[in-house]
Amino acid sequence: MEKIVVVMPAWNEEENISRMIEELVDKEFPKIPAEMHLLVVDNYSKDKTAQVVQDAAKTRKNVHIIEQGDKSGLGWAYVRGFRYAVDKLGADAVMEMDADFQHPPRFVRPMVEAYLNGADYVIGSRYIPGGSVPKEWDFSRKFVSFAGNLFIRLVLLKPSIHDLTTGFRLTRVKGVLDKISLEDLMELDRFAYKVDLLYQSIKNAKKVVEVPLEFAPRIAEKSKFNAKEMISTFKLAIIIGIKDKQRFIKFGIVGFIGFIVNYIGIEVFRRTTFVQELALASGGLKNIAGLNILTTPSSWSAALGAEMAIISNFSLNNIWTFKEKRLTKVSEIIPSFLKFNLTSVGAVIIQFIVIGFSVLVFGDTSLVRLASLVFAIIFLIIPYNYSMYNLFIWKTWKLPWKVGKH
Ligand SMILES: Nc1nc2c(ncn2[C@@H]2O[C@H](COP(=O)(O)OP(=O)(O)OP(=O)(O)O)[C@@H](O)[C@H]2O)c(=O)[nH]1
Ligand SMILES: [Mg+2]
């Protein structure tokens, strides 16, 4: 049978915790087809929270408590709780849950069922059909919760997940939790730990499932949440969002530098006698093929400018964008550079097709050429180049059919 440990940080929750043990452990756990445990993580609460749990644990094998000496924050309470659940209790999955009945015990069962049906990460979600926030909340609290959540969803670019700030979640240990370096999570002394933990979990989980949660109002004791916690949560989401896209941002900057190098290259080469000689020399070819373009110094300048941009893009991406995968040996650099040139041909073909097709449909005007070029760059060339570099040049991504192979 699967062993699931509900990790429940509780700090000055005396009144809630005794009821919680009755409602969750005594009434709900027996209905769930898994071996269920409750692990309370206390911070030497000033009230009788610890004593209530210790008394309950005397008569129940599946109730446990650990103490964190100092009140070092919610994130640390979870990290220590998870470590204990995995190392000491041998958990197959862990749950995050509040002690104040905002996560009503009846919602534990559907979460566990989703896990037993194959989910690696289960999110108790307030923002999917069937889920809700308390009716009792006033408009401003509802608005802050909804807008804050939406903001984090946008910053992290995770549109498929609807609730990124919920504190009610289930995580499979094997392949998800055991891949996360828990002590290195950001903002562990705050509620903001939630965002980093979610981000890391989603990265590792193959199957993420959201289960509706009717979030209830706190009934007893005092809230530990405040504006400071909220601001640090937003701040952390922005930091993670930027870090996540760092490589793409660098790729964009390198591409922009490449564009400038290309432009300057054209102008510089145009002023050299070298391109004039090239144009003259290819005059002979013109007679054979009848291509005027070969005799134009500007087209030779453009080709050389483009190659300069390719060299600049390759070098800067190698030393900066993909610095963790930097190619250093000449025997690696030369074939990769040739491959890089070859992938650039793909961009030429994309432009050839898109711009050619657009002028056929919309007319051959400079506006159509510019608009279709911008369209091709944003929607096709950028994703194409970025994918090619990640897949074939610096190999940070694996092809789907190679995932799992070494
Ligand atoms: N061990 C431990 N538990 C904490 C700490 N801070 C909060 N908690 C617990 O974490 C859970 C969530 O805290 P709450 O105060 O309910 O925060 P919230 O749900 O965002 O805010 P409300 O909606 O006002 O209740 C509760 O079970 C708290 O007792 C802490 O520093 N240490
Ligand atoms: Mg609460």
Side-chain angles (χ1 to χ4, degrees):
M1 213 189 227
E2 292 284 312
K3 191 182 226 182
I4 297 166
V5 177
V6 176
V7 178
M8 184 175 285
W11 185 53
N12 298 338
E13 302 279 6
E14 159 189 315
E15 201 178 316
N16 285 321
I17 204 76
S18 55
R19 256 192 67 209
M20 180 56 83
I21 291 170
E22 284 164 23
E23 299 283 324
L24 180 68
V25 178
D26 297 344
K27 295 202 185 128
E28 268 315 303
F29 279 2
K31 297 185 203 158
I32 300 174
E35 186 185 332
M36 301 296 299
H37 289 255
L38 173 68
L39 170 63
V40 175
V41 187
D42 179 41
N43 277 119
Y44 291 137
S45 296
K46 290 186 191 71
D47 63 5
K48 294 204 185 71
T49 301
Q51 205 183 325
V52 169
V53 182
Q54 276 153 6
D55 288 347
K58 283 183 196 144
T59 52
R60 296 168 181 88
K61 276 206 198 76
N62 57 352
V63 173
H64 316 265
I65 178 163
I66 55 171
E67 290 283 357
Q68 284 199 93
D70 48 340
K71 188 198 167 299
S72 40
L74 191 56
W76 278 112
Y78 272 116
V79 168
R80 291 185 183 134
F82 289 160
R83 284 269 177 247
Y84 189 90
V86 175
D87 300 341
K88 297 278 186 338
L89 303 176
D92 296 303
V94 293
M95 281 188 72
E96 289 159 78
M97 186 172 176
D98 288 357
D100 59 359
F101 284 88
Q102 287 194 286
H103 307 143
R106 69 194 150 93
F107 288 99
V108 173
R109 177 147 65 140
M111 302 272 287
V112 173
E113 279 165 357
Y115 163 76
L116 295 174
N117 286 330
D120 299 300
Y121 193 54
V122 188
I123 298 172
S125 180
R126 298 162 291 182
Y127 298 112
I128 57 171
S132 58
V133 294
K135 291 189 293 297
E136 294 79 355
W137 276 7
D138 57 21
F139 175 77
S140 66
R141 182 128 197 218
K142 280 184 184 153
F143 178 79
V144 167
S145 172
F146 180 78
N149 193 59
L150 191 68
F151 172 78
I152 296 174
R153 208 167 144 200
L154 288 174
V155 171
L156 292 184
L157 276 187
K158 294 275 178 269
S160 59
I161 292 170
H162 301 81
D163 196 340
L164 294 103
T165 52
T166 176
F168 192 44
R169 304 182 293 208
L170 182 150
T171 314
R172 185 185 292 276
V173 173
K174 195 162 179 281
V176 186
L177 194 77
D178 62 6
K179 291 267 182 326
I180 300 171
S181 165
L182 293 171
E183 285 77 8
D184 295 327
L185 289 173
M186 290 188 271
E187 299 275 344
L188 280 175
D189 49 349
R190 298 208 169 278
F191 281 53
Y193 86 93
K194 275 183 206 176
V195 182
D196 199 15
L197 185 58
L198 173 110
Y199 172 74
Q200 304 286 347
S201 305
I202 290 172
K203 251 199 204 163
N204 292 307
K206 287 194 187 70
K207 189 173 173 196
V208 178
V209 172
E210 277 183 285
V211 170
L213 162 68
E214 284 174 31
F215 197 51
R218 178 183 258 283
I219 16 186
E221 310 284 5
K222 280 199 215 68
S223 172
K224 283 92 196 169
F225 191 72
N226 52 42
K228 232 179 177 176
E229 302 289 356
M230 188 175 74
I231 291 165
S232 81
T233 302
F234 290 149
K235 203 179 76 192
L236 185 63
I238 296 171
I239 293 172
I240 295 175
I242 292 175
K243 267 196 156 176
D244 187 49
K245 273 116 218 134
Q246 221 171 31
R247 177 164 282 155
F248 189 71
I249 293 168
K250 287 179 178 176
F251 160 84
I253 295 172
V254 169
F256 184 69
I257 295 173
F259 168 78
I260 294 171
V261 169
N262 197 338
Y263 177 72
I264 295 175
I266 295 178
E267 294 304 309
V268 170
F269 280 113
R270 184 65 188 83
R271 286 166 177 74
T272 62
T273 50
F274 177 63
V275 288
Q276 276 153 11
E277 280 161 18
L278 268 177
L280 267 179
S282 43
L285 290 172
K286 180 197 134 191
N287 292 338
I288 305 163
L291 288 168
N292 282 333
I293 197 169
L294 287 173
T295 59
T296 321
S298 284
S299 60
W300 286 103
S301 309
L304 291 166
E307 191 56 34
M308 296 293 293
I310 289 174
I311 294 170
S312 147
N313 285 354
F314 181 77
S315 322
L316 292 177
N317 278 322
N318 192 39
I319 55 176
W320 191 44
T321 317
F322 294 93
K323 66 168 186 275
E324 299 84 4
K325 294 267 178 170
R326 185 181 297 167
L327 307 163
T328 45
K329 293 192 212 98
V330 179
S331 61
E332 288 173 337
I333 291 178
I334 292 175
S336 298
F337 179 65
L338 293 177
K339 258 198 260 170
F340 192 88
N341 271 274
L342 211 61
T343 62
S344 307
V345 177
V348 175
I349 296 171
I350 292 173
Q351 281 198 39
F352 186 85
I353 295 172
V354 173
I355 298 174
F357 189 73
S358 303
V359 296
L360 277 181
V361 176
F362 302 107
D364 198 354
T365 65
S366 52
L367 183 67
V368 170
R369 286 191 294 269
L370 180 65
S372 53
L373 174 67
V374 171
F375 175 86
I377 289 178
I378 293 177
F379 293 105
L380 299 165
I381 294 175
I382 288 176
Y384 164 81
N385 276 342
Y386 195 61
S387 315
M388 286 307 199
Y389 300 173
N390 277 291
L391 285 171
F392 300 114
I393 313 282
W394 287 280
K395 301 191 175 104
T396 48
W397 295 351
K398 275 190 180 163
L399 290 165
W401 53 90
K402 285 193 178 161
V403 170
K405 289 188 188 159
H406 295 284

